[in-house]
Structure formats: C-alpha cells, structure tokens
Amino acid sequence: MFATLSDRLAETFKNLRGKGRLSEADIDATAREIRIALLEADVALPVVREFVDAVKERARGEEVSQALNPAQQVVKIVNEELVAILGGETRRLRYAKNPPTVIMLAGLQGAGKTTLAAKLALWLKEQGKQPMLVAADLQRPNAVGQLQIVGERAGVPVFAPEAGNGVGDPVRVARDSIDEARRKLYDVVVVDTAGRLGVDAEMMQQAVDIRDAVSPDEILFVVDAMIGQDAVTTAQAFLDGVGYDGVVLTKLDGDARGGAALSIRSVTGKPVMFASAGEKLTDFDVFHPDRMASRILDMGDVMTLIEQAEKAFDQEQALKAAEKLTTGGDFTLDDFLEQMQQVRKLGSMSKIMGMLPGMGQFRDQLENFDEREIDRIQAIIQSMTPAERANPKIIDGSRRARIARGSGRQVSDVNSLVDRFFEARKMMQSFAKGGMPGLPGMPGMASGGKRGRAKQAAKNKPGKGRRVSGNPAKAAAQAKAADEKATAGQANPFGNPDGEEIDYEKAAAALDLPKDFSKYLK
C-alpha cells in the first residue's frame, strides 16, 4: 500500500547522500519532494503541512548542521515525525476490571467489520482470553450467517438469537449478549453492529442506542484504508455522532496509496490500534507506529517478523536442524522440507521478505513471486523414497525420472531442486561452522584475517611439502601460483569449509530469495 510513498521518499533521500552539509536550498528541495510524496499518497492537506513544517524546522536546527552525516540525520527526523503522526506509542486494549470486557465495532458497510470481528476474536483467543461474538447487524442480508461462518473458522462462539435480514431488534440482542457472556463465563464480548453505504441519522442513532445499552469498554471504528481522503471525513463524522476510542484499518494489502493511515490519527486525535492486511483470519496485527514508519522508509519490520517466527516455528525442530549443521551431521531433504513448511506458517514469502530492510528495490520480484513453488518442491521431495531423502547423492538418472513422474514435474525440476539443496546446505554449513570469516572480530577466521593468512603462508613456505624449482623463472611462477591459491579463499566471505565455490544464485533460489538478492550474499 505504501509502495509509491516509499519509492518517492527513497529517491528524495538518495539525492542527499554524500553531502557534507545541507544548504538552505537542499532543505527546501527535500521538503518539497516530501510534500509531493505525501500528497500523492492521499494524506490530508493539513497533516502534510504540519508534517513538512516540523521536518523543515528540525532540519535547519543544530542536530543536522552539526551532524557528521546530515543525510542520515534528515532520515532520522522524517522517521521520528512519521512515528509522531501515526500515534507515537502503541495503544493497547483496555480490559474491564470485572469481566466481560465489551468491545463494540462501528463503521460503514463494506469496511470489513464482520470478518474483522472474527480476526479480533481469534487474536484475543491467542492472548488467552475467552471471547464471544455478537451478531447485532440485523440489516445487511446474511450478515448473521456470515458472522457464524467466520466465527466457526476462528473457533469462537457466536451469540445470534435473531436471523437478521431486516428482522429483529439489534439493541436487545446486544443487551442480552452481556447476560449470556456472564452466564457462560466469556471474558470478552465483541459486538458486530450494522453499517450503511453512507453516514446517515438512522445508522448513527442505532449505534448510539447499542452503545448506551452495553456501555462498551472500547469502541473501535473500522475503516477501509482504500477509500483515501474520504476515510478521514467518515472517521470525523463517527467521532462526532457516536464517539470511539480507537481505529482499526482494514485492507492494508490493497493497492491504494495509504493516506488514511497517516491522516486519521492527526485529524481525529484517536489512535490506530489494529491493522488488517489480508483475507486470512490470521492477517491481523496490533498497529505499531514505529514499525509502520520503518516500513514506509524501507527500513523493514524485523520485530514483527521475529514475533511471527516465535509463534510459528517449532523450537525443538529448529534446534535439531541447527545441531545437525553445527556438528557436521547430515542435513537431509526431510529437514529441508520441515524448515520450508515452518517458514510457510509465517504467511506468504513475499510478505515475509517485504519485512526485511532494503527490500523495496526488489518489489517487482516479490510481487511476482509464485507462492505455489513451495507446493511443487514439497511434491518432488515427497515423491522420493526415505533413502533418497536421507542421501540425495544416490539419486541417479532413472530415480530422477521416477521422481518427476510421481510429482507431476519435469526431470529438470528434480535436477534443479537437488542442485539447489546442495548449494543451500553448503552455505548454511559455512554459516554454522565458520561464522563470517574475514570480518574483524568474527569467529572462524581460517580463510581471512591475520591468523588465516599466517597459517596459509606457513603452509605454502618452501620445505613444508612443496617442491621448489631450481630455475628462477619457474620458481617465481610457482610462488605466484601459490599466492593466488592462498588468497582465493579470502574472496569467499562465507569461508566455505570444503574450499569449494558457492553458487550464490542457486543458494538464494533454494532459500526462496529474489534472484537479484544473491549479490548481497557475495
């Protein structure tokens, strides 16, 4: 969603690199580019003015003029100001002292309230709560049925005494749900209310009546992030008519320009609390202003990636795989498949890679990544016998043909997978055994650093097993060849313990990285 804004800001900061100091003209030009980037991203004009003025004022101050790297200081200022307009600190849910905690959802029809209710309930369930959904949207056709379906998928009970479709009293349903929750010991109640295609008096009044009937601890305004500037207008209308405590942004995975996320907090004064970025019930996250600002500036979101990995990865399996690599044990295709399946639990590969710093330059490759590739790899590996998966070296021509037929793939696909596996294993073993040789302070300096060079020089000295010709010309040629051989290992920053060259493109492909990413491994 923030791709256009990220690209424009990255281009702007690129023009500042290498400058020892920033002139007034540099600051004005940078501010102008930032203003254009924000306006193109559909950020509200008052927010743009406030943001740009703050950046310009700080850029003219001592923190930039006296900085060793003014360009980096400007990026730091922009990052801090982005965090400020996005809300500053992460806002958490308030829970009632005496359960149940009542959370009321409000918003326009089509914003995704019903699906979001199930996402929120599933998230609450993961936090150790016992949530219950309430079907208080009795206007929209089949709204009650939809909530029951998504509630079942989330494994959360749904209170739905009325069939809906224009029949029933939503205020009474909401009031009765509190008694139901107390009776069955549910500690959180999520009330899904009706929406309209536009803001109207009847809709507002119904929301006000439900609010007064259940006295919610939190009222969340659900807004479609793809409606642009109108999101701010609607948010203000709901704030004036009903009131709410926080905002939930939906459809952040869309192709809109994302100005709503940057505008709502500044215009309404209410924090963005959650963000929904996908169709799956697990595509739901707490909104962290600092992490969102980091994504916009293409600095990645490593903290979110780590949190997702901690939830998805089986720690015992990961430790076993690491032990095999560090102790020299055979890392098999079964282990390879297990690791890929664990990575898949994190979500789409393009989304995972997008959380890494500097991946904005690979956006085209990430958007075109075929998520079904992991299914194809799994089919090939599972078409192998246990012996073949344990020792891929025995896979000869006839075996490859059989595996290809069994998996519905070509022999070339089997060949490619086996080659990629060996390259990936070689690279992972070099990481596990040798660290990153050649870098100061890093372990395993066998092929780099002073210790490694000294050992190699001693190994190549005359009288240490290497015969030297009595012909001066031949002796010089032998010495040159020995020097080239001694420094060859230093060209490989991974310090491959077997002394073999690593095919970095194959290794990147084996780890499902974009093809161009291989240059960062070298």
Side-chain angles (χ1 to χ4, degrees), residues 355-471:
M355 292 184 187
L356 297 176
M359 293 304 289
Q361 58 190 305
F362 300 114
R363 188 171 292 114
D364 290 340
Q365 293 96 314
L366 293 177
E367 288 175 354
N368 295 323
F369 179 78
D370 188 355
E371 299 289 345
R372 294 171 298 177
E373 181 63 22
I374 295 179
D375 292 327
R376 299 184 186 112
I377 292 172
Q378 182 171 321
I380 293 173
I381 294 176
Q382 291 180 338
S383 296
M384 298 177 184
T385 65
E388 289 166 346
R389 292 199 291 269
N391 182 16
K393 291 182 179 179
I394 69 171
I395 304 178
D396 54 19
S398 61
R399 289 175 184 264
R400 293 179 189 226
R402 191 205 75 245
I403 294 166
R405 288 194 302 272
S407 60
R409 309 301 303 163
Q410 300 293 323
V411 174
S412 58
D413 296 327
V414 180
N415 294 339
S416 174
L417 171 62
V418 174
D419 291 344
R420 286 162 58 184
F421 167 73
F422 283 125
E423 291 295 337
R425 184 171 71 175
K426 192 188 304 179
M427 187 175 71
M428 287 188 290
Q429 285 177 334
S430 62
F431 266 126
K433 292 181 180 179
M436 291 187 69
L439 295 181
M442 294 297 290
M445 295 174 63
S447 60
K450 292 181 180 178
R451 268 193 306 160
R453 286 194 294 271
K455 286 171 71 176
Q456 190 67 41
K459 186 177 179 181
N460 292 330
K461 277 185 178 178
K464 293 290 183 181
R466 183 170 63 86
R467 298 181 63 183
V468 180
S469 172
N471 185 322

Side-chain angles (χ1 to χ4, degrees), residues 297-318:
L297 296 178
D298 196 24
M299 297 176 185
D301 187 359
V302 178
M303 284 303 298
T304 298
L305 185 58
I306 291 171
E307 288 174 0
Q308 291 183 359
E310 285 177 342
K311 289 191 295 184
F313 273 66
D314 184 321
Q315 190 173 7
E316 188 177 338
Q317 283 186 354

